[in-house]
Amino acid sequence: MSKISEMTRQSWIESTFPEWGTWLVEDIENEVVAPGNVAMWWLGCTGVWFKTPADTNITIDLWCGNGKRTHGDGKMKVGHQMANMCGGRAMQPNLRNVPFVIDPFAFKKVDAVLATHYHQDHMSPEWAAHVINSGMTTTDENGKEIPVPFIGPKKSVELWQKWGVPAERCITVKPGDTIKIKDIEIVALDSFDRTCIVTTDSTGPDREELTGVCPTDMDDKAVNYLVKTPGGNIYHSGDSHFSIYFAKHGKDYDIDVAFGSFGENPIGMQDKMTSIDILRMAENLKCKVVVPIHWDVWTNFQADCDEIKVLYDFKKDRNEYKFHPFFWQVGGKYTYPADKDKIYYHHRRGFEDCFEAPQNIPFLLIKTELSGNGW
């Protein structure tokens, strides 16, 4: 049969997606983290994979899904959190803007699955299914083999259980709770995700009425995490907006690296931190490095990190900043403290072995030098 006659939509999907295949899975599994360091990979949105020298692996907010794929009827659900926030009804044009860089079903191990909150771009039924169905295990503080735990606030745990994750596999956390995963200690902290606060259980006309109601359930809906590792303390702020309470976290904990959700908010919307918010967050947390994330994923919220760099350069001397930004790329690795002085990430460029094997070319490369008389 010809290639044309064999080609189908299904064969195209299976041969193309995920676009990176197992490339990054292999990178993560093969990585040997040097003592005193922690390696992290950005998986898109706020998804981060952590790996320690003891081969402890945890994920926070790993998500395998997509945004809009059809215009549908052109309307948002009336109870969607964005509709609750601004009263908009036209379909939000949030298409996924970057490729998905891992194959979640190709991983052989993980020690814990964490979520900061229960919005759809921060939790993955695919990842949960693979962790459960493959029988992955880890060890507890006493070295006893146990099933891999799922860790998150109350609403995230409820969603995992709705998907079929056994209740005994889930650990509900609230601010102040600590959990030990091998050589990692996880501290749950207050979230400042005001979009999560206006999220209701129903997205239909019967949605909960929030007008005039003082919210008291943030701790049930979302948390931030401080991940204490052999390489430093990493602060994951989930989808938090800017809050002056970041300063409290900065006084209570030593923070080396802080992740903040950055984006270009559309008119009438406040869902992501702005460039100045990212700098204020870093200053309040007293971190050493601030890393903007989430700016990559949605077409309607995509932002330019150079804006942060311009403002940082403008303000760093006057405000005597003790931190600097690091601008990541999805699928990239960041090792702390080995990479602590880096400002920009660039994927490996390759060709390190050029001219180590004979060339096969029909001409010689001629070195040309500029002389005083021209070429």
Side-chain angles (χ1 to χ4, degrees):
M1 296 177 67
S2 69
K3 193 172 186 67
I4 293 296
S5 62
E6 293 174 343
M7 187 62 62
T8 66
R9 183 177 186 274
Q10 187 61 34
S11 68
W12 165 63
I13 291 172
E14 292 179 358
S15 66
T16 306
F17 303 102
E19 290 94 331
W20 284 29
T22 60
W23 181 279
L24 187 55
V25 175
E26 296 164 27
D27 280 350
I28 293 173
E29 290 183 341
N30 293 333
E31 179 74 12
V32 177
V33 182
N37 284 266
V38 59
M40 295 164 279
W41 290 264
W42 187 19
L43 307 178
C45 197
T46 65
V48 180
W49 188 291
F50 295 77
K51 187 172 186 177
T52 72
D55 195 27
T56 303
N57 293 265
I58 69 169
T59 63
I60 296 181
D61 287 4
L62 191 160
W63 165 65
C64 308
N66 48 53
K68 297 297 184 294
R69 302 177 67 190
T70 173
H71 287 272
D73 63 0
K75 300 293 183 182
M76 229 183 337
K77 291 182 178 179
V78 296
H80 187 277
Q81 56 267 20
M82 301 296 189
N84 288 339
M85 185 184 296
C86 73
R89 291 293 179 265
M91 179 73 77
Q92 181 192 178
N94 60 321
L95 288 78
R96 184 162 189 153
N97 201 44
V98 293
F100 190 62
V101 293
I102 65 167
D103 179 348
F105 294 94
F107 281 101
K108 300 180 181 66
K109 66 168 296 182
V110 74
D111 294 289
V113 177
L114 285 78
T116 60
H117 63 293
Y118 65 119
H119 283 163
Q120 64 97 9
D121 52 341
H122 298 263
M123 296 179 62
S124 169
E126 298 87 356
W127 182 225
H130 178 57
V131 171
I132 295 292
N133 295 334
S134 63
M136 289 189 196
T137 61
T138 184
T139 54
D140 64 14
E141 295 181 63
N142 302 313
K144 178 185 176 183
E145 186 176 25
I146 60 171
V148 171
F150 290 73
I151 302 166
K154 179 182 176 182
K155 285 291 188 178
S156 293
V157 166
E158 289 176 353
L159 184 55
W160 275 321
Q161 291 182 16
K162 181 179 179 182
W163 290 342
V165 176
E168 61 271 18
R169 298 283 295 271
C170 297
I171 300 174
T172 301
V173 292
K174 61 184 184 303
D177 291 343
T178 62
I179 294 175
K180 187 82 171 174
I181 305 291
K182 294 184 176 179
D183 59 344
I184 286 178
E185 183 180 341
I186 300 159
V187 183
L189 297 172
D190 314 84
S191 170
F192 315 116
D193 185 351
R194 290 184 283 276
T195 304
C196 215
I197 272 294
V198 298
T199 301
T200 51
D201 289 338
S202 172
T203 56
D206 62 338
R207 71 192 186 281
E208 178 186 355
E209 182 56 57
L210 301 176
T211 304
V213 178
C214 181
T216 60
D217 59 350
M218 175 67 92
D219 294 348
D220 292 339
K221 290 184 172 183
V223 294
N224 293 352
Y225 290 113
L226 184 68
V227 184
K228 297 182 176 181
T229 78
N233 295 337
I234 315 301
Y235 185 95
H236 195 302
S237 66
D239 269 358
S240 285
H241 301 204
F242 177 76
S243 169
I244 60 172
Y245 209 77
F246 279 131
K248 179 71 163 72
H249 291 173
K251 286 193 171 185
D252 289 346
Y253 301 95
D254 292 327
I255 299 170
D256 294 295
V257 179
F259 300 136
S261 285
F262 168 54
E264 185 68 40
N265 294 293
I267 293 173
M269 180 55 54
Q270 182 63 50
D271 183 56
K272 298 291 175 283
M273 282 191 275
T274 65
S275 52
I276 193 62
D277 290 335
I278 291 291
L279 297 180
R280 291 186 70 200
M281 179 191 76
E283 188 177 24
N284 278 258
L285 290 174
K286 297 193 291 186
C287 62
K288 298 178 180 68
V289 180
V290 64
V291 185
I293 54 177
H294 212 321
W295 55 267
D296 63 298
V297 72
W298 297 130
T299 52
N300 62 326
F301 277 88
Q302 190 182 24
D304 189 337
C305 287
D306 281 348
E307 181 181 328
I308 297 174
K309 183 64 164 60
V310 168
L311 280 174
Y312 175 79
D313 289 340
F314 182 77
K315 298 170 70 70
K316 64 179 179 179
D317 297 322
R318 181 177 306 213
N319 287 0
E320 298 182 345
Y321 285 158
K322 301 298 190 295
F323 67 91
H324 68 81
F326 172 68
F327 302 114
W328 222 352
Q329 290 291 324
V330 176
K333 181 183 73 171
Y334 180 66
T335 301
Y336 193 86
D339 296 334
K340 65 182 176 63
D341 296 324
K342 288 187 176 180
I343 300 295
Y344 288 97
Y345 178 85
H346 197 296
H347 290 290
R348 177 179 160 224
R349 300 179 72 191
F351 301 99
E352 298 90 350
D353 61 345
C354 60
F355 298 106
E356 292 180 10
Q359 298 167 268
N360 181 22
I361 56 175
F363 57 88
L364 293 178
L365 297 179
I366 302 174
K367 181 179 180 182
T368 305
E369 296 182 353
L370 183 64
S371 67
N373 296 321
W375 292 99

